[in-house]
Amino acid sequence: MLSVYDEFQPFITALRHPPCRSLLRDLSNQELAAIASFESVPNNQGSALYVTRIRSRSAAFTEIVYSMDEEALSLLKQVWDYLRWQQMIRVTARIGAHDKNPMIANMYVTRRYARIAHMFAANFATEADQDTADIVTVVVPEWHQRKILVFPQYRTTCILGSDYYGETKMATLRMAMHIAREELGGVGLHAGSKIVRVNTPRGLEEKGLIVFGLSGTGKTTITTSDHGLEAPEGVEVLQDDINLLLPNGKALGTERNFYIKTDNVMKQPEILAAASHSSAIIENCWVDDDGNINFNNHALTTNGRAIVFRDKIPNTSEKIDLDRVDAILFNMRRYDTPPICRLMSPEQAAAFYMLGESTITSAEDPSRVGQAKRVVGFDPFIIDNPHVNGNRLLRILRDNPHIKCYIVNTGRIGGRDGANMTPDVTFKAIVGALSERINWKYDDILGCEVPEALDIPNAEQYDPYTHYSREEYAQIMGALRKERKDYLVKFKGLAQEVISAV
Ligand SMILES: Nc1ncnc2c1ncn2[C@@H]1O[C@H](COP(=O)(O)OP(=O)(O)O)[C@@H](O)[C@H]1O
Ligand SMILES: C=C(OP(=O)(O)O)C(=O)O
């Protein structure tokens, strides 16, 4: 009699090694670009530029599959019957630095969509082709039905009917973050990372920084900024999007190059040069009739993207890991809090992680700008049981008490017409915190610490009590705290101390 394992073995094999007529492997980036070149829109920059049918992630079509039903099985069999007659490309990539026991990811895509393989190979560090991998992503963009099937047990994702590269990238990293949680005792963070070298009362020190934030709240802007620091002070930019935080307080990077949003790139000098270089691979950006790429034309989508090479971004090196995290920033675009607040405890930080609070930005939906929004961990890629992530972050912060956590408001204060937190205000506030030049005082209405003073022009504009009376502010914040608590209690299994901390 067949054991359950034997019975499932052919299924798992087909899932992780899709059958195909022939498999193209070990192709160089140039070869992938050449195979995909029939799709590239000519432009004066000389970049590969692809326009996709689907232009953002298909969250509503994403299913986490733990047990196979007849319908899912029959769909997969149809897909495999189709692939049996197709040529596919396989790219083997490394998630993480070569010296840190990285994960290996295999990405399979039908040859017609070589552009996805081209972007994947440029985004990650490629390795010599190998048959076994920790993570498998199978992409069949031409499939008539749109479905993203995530199989956490088999560390495999099957993407059907989407040719948006972000789906492939995030399927792979979603699984890497899941493995970090399930096998490494860590937690995946939808966050950028950098090192900031600043003068502190003890002399020049390097501070490892993690920057969380929902799309459009300033993650890339802050991560790539030099904060106006001059040598010997300065920054080293490590990662733009996904880090794996380990129990020992180190954060492993995942990507070699960055997959940036281009809607604001004209205002982001640090990445504009990289996006304007011929090495960039552009997705869904407009090319004017004269052949110039026009990042400000959003006719195709507000989710224009580019793979930009890290060596074209100032202050990057080959390094992608952060050996010591000293500070974590939670970016929120709000209209009622100071530029920076310090959280009081690991419990409070874990609460703000679970709250994943912000407002909708134009990057997401221009017609709903300003509406409140919450996503646990600022991370739409948590596969299941988000409270496990909150509890895990709590444990890591308790075990590494040197890590300080801050809320950074990249919106305004005093309402929609209040004082604007310009990027410069934010950059200076962050340096103030890291260099320990800010004196903190407890604000009983906010329930956390706020700067006694900020070293920025017109600092009083950014003080809540310039805009609100104490009674008014107590009422606004009181209502918010109640709403936050009501939200947190819904997470069964979340440590009680986290719920009590807001
Ligand atoms: N205080 C601020 N901090 C960071 N970015 C800000 C701030 N105020 C306005 N912005 C603008 O908001 C946009 C943030 O975009 P980006 O950094 O790409 O966000 P994310 O990486 O979170 O998607 C940029 O255009 C930036 O200039
Ligand atoms: C690729 C995506 O993720 P991010 O916005 O974090 O780059 C996406 O959401 O489409």
Side-chain angles (χ1 to χ4, degrees), residues 471-484:
E471 295 66 38
E472 223 181 331
Y473 203 45
Q475 201 194 356
I476 298 171
M477 288 300 142
L480 183 60
R481 279 166 98 160
K482 178 171 178 326
E483 199 189 302
R484 285 171 172 167

Side-chain angles (χ1 to χ4, degrees), residues 79-95:
V79 173
W80 295 333
D81 282 346
Y82 164 73
L83 291 180
R84 211 175 292 284
W85 304 102
Q86 303 305 312
Q87 268 197 316
M88 293 194 93
I89 297 172
R90 173 161 87 190
V91 179
T92 298
R94 186 176 76 221
I95 311 294

Side-chain angles (χ1 to χ4, degrees), residues 120 139-140 202 236 293 296 480 485:
F120 187 83
V139 195
V140 190
R202 293 168 300 283
E236 187 173 342
I293 297 175
N296 279 342
L480 183 60
K485 215 165 224 138

Side-chain angles (χ1 to χ4, degrees), residues 211-224 240-241 260-265 267-268 271 305 331 333 361 363 408-411 420-427 430:
V211 187
F212 272 110
L214 284 175
S215 204
T217 59
K219 190 157 47 86
T220 304
T221 303
I222 295 172
T223 304
T224 56
D240 173 50
D241 202 25
I260 58 159
K261 269 175 83 78
T262 54
D263 58 335
N264 279 316
V265 79
K267 290 191 266 164
Q268 296 168 296
I271 50 176
R305 295 275 178 161
N331 284 357
R333 187 149 285 178
T361 67
V408 172
N409 175 16
T410 61
N420 189 7
M421 310 289 171
T422 60
D424 234 26
V425 168
T426 299
F427 301 154
I430 294 167

Side-chain angles (χ1 to χ4, degrees), residues 38-335:
F38 74 97
E39 289 211 88
S40 181
V41 179
N43 58 82
N44 295 342
Q45 187 172 305
S47 286
L49 188 153
Y50 305 124
V51 176
T52 66
R53 190 167 53 85
I54 306 295
R55 298 185 185 152
S56 59
R57 276 186 314 102
S58 303
F61 299 83
T62 304
E63 284 173 32
I64 311 294
V65 186
Y66 279 107
S67 57
M68 292 297 294
D69 56 28
E70 277 304 313
E71 200 186 334
L73 204 53
S74 134
L75 172 62
L76 282 176
K77 284 187 176 151
Q78 287 174 47
V79 173
W80 295 333
D81 282 346
Y82 164 73
L83 291 180
R84 211 175 292 284
W85 304 102
Q86 303 305 312
Q87 268 197 316
M88 293 194 93
I89 297 172
R90 173 161 87 190
V91 179
T92 298
R94 186 176 76 221
I95 311 294
H98 60 86
D99 58 343
K100 296 268 173 48
N101 201 8
M103 298 178 202
I104 295 297
N106 270 344
M107 195 280 303
Y108 295 80
V109 65
T110 42
R111 187 186 198 278
R112 164 74 183 67
Y113 288 90
R115 62 173 146 90
I116 293 178
H118 182 212
M119 295 182 81
F120 187 83
N123 190 177
F124 294 100
T126 48
E127 292 276 299
D129 178 76
Q130 57 187 71
D131 211 37
T132 52
D134 302 294
I135 298 168
V136 174
T137 307
V138 179
V139 195
V140 190
E142 65 272 41
W143 197 254
H144 54 91
Q145 212 177 343
R146 196 164 8 145
K147 244 185 203 317
I148 320 299
L149 297 169
V150 183
F151 300 92
Q153 291 142 300
Y154 306 120
R155 312 288 192 241
T156 299
T157 308
C158 197
I159 298 173
L160 304 176
S162 174
D163 62 338
Y164 168 58
Y165 171 66
E167 199 72 71
T168 299
K169 169 191 151 155
M170 291 321 306
T172 306
L173 290 177
R174 180 199 282 123
M175 209 54 85
M177 290 198 280
H178 191 64
I179 293 175
R181 190 187 86 179
E182 298 298 300
E183 295 175 24
L184 305 181
V187 60
L189 306 182
H190 187 213
S193 61
K194 71 198 288 188
I195 294 168
V196 185
R197 238 177 0 263
V198 278
N199 283 314
T200 71
R202 293 168 300 283
L204 195 64
E205 284 187 357
E206 290 202 331
K207 303 281 189 177
L209 193 61
I210 292 282
V211 187
F212 272 110
L214 284 175
S215 204
T217 59
K219 190 157 47 86
T220 304
T221 303
I222 295 172
T223 304
T224 56
S225 153
D226 65 9
H227 297 256
L229 294 171
E230 284 175 20
E233 294 186 307
V235 306
E236 187 173 342
V237 178
L238 306 178
Q239 285 287 284
D240 173 50
D241 202 25
I242 304 289
N243 275 274
L244 310 177
L245 182 65
L246 299 183
N248 59 9
K250 293 179 191 235
L252 301 184
T254 55
E255 296 169 273
R256 179 167 61 116
N257 293 314
F258 299 174
Y259 180 56
I260 58 159
K261 269 175 83 78
T262 54
D263 58 335
N264 279 316
V265 79
M266 297 305 288
K267 290 191 266 164
Q268 296 168 296
E270 284 88 352
I271 50 176
L272 179 59
S276 307
H277 191 267
S278 60
S279 59
I281 307 177
I282 317 281
E283 188 181 43
N284 297 327
C285 295
W286 189 258
V287 179
D288 282 338
D289 292 344
D290 59 7
N292 289 332
I293 297 175
N294 183 344
F295 292 114
N296 279 342
N297 181 328
H298 301 155
L300 293 174
T301 174
T302 49
N303 190 32
R305 295 275 178 161
I307 304 269
V308 296
F309 278 68
R310 64 188 297 120
D311 62 353
K312 300 291 177 294
I313 301 173
N315 303 308
T316 52
S317 64
E318 281 296 301
K319 190 171 160 179
I320 64 170
D321 294 332
L322 193 50
D323 291 330
R324 179 186 149 106
V325 176
D326 294 291
I328 300 183
L329 308 182
F330 297 91
N331 284 357
M332 297 182 181
R333 187 149 285 178
R334 297 197 57 88
Y335 299 92

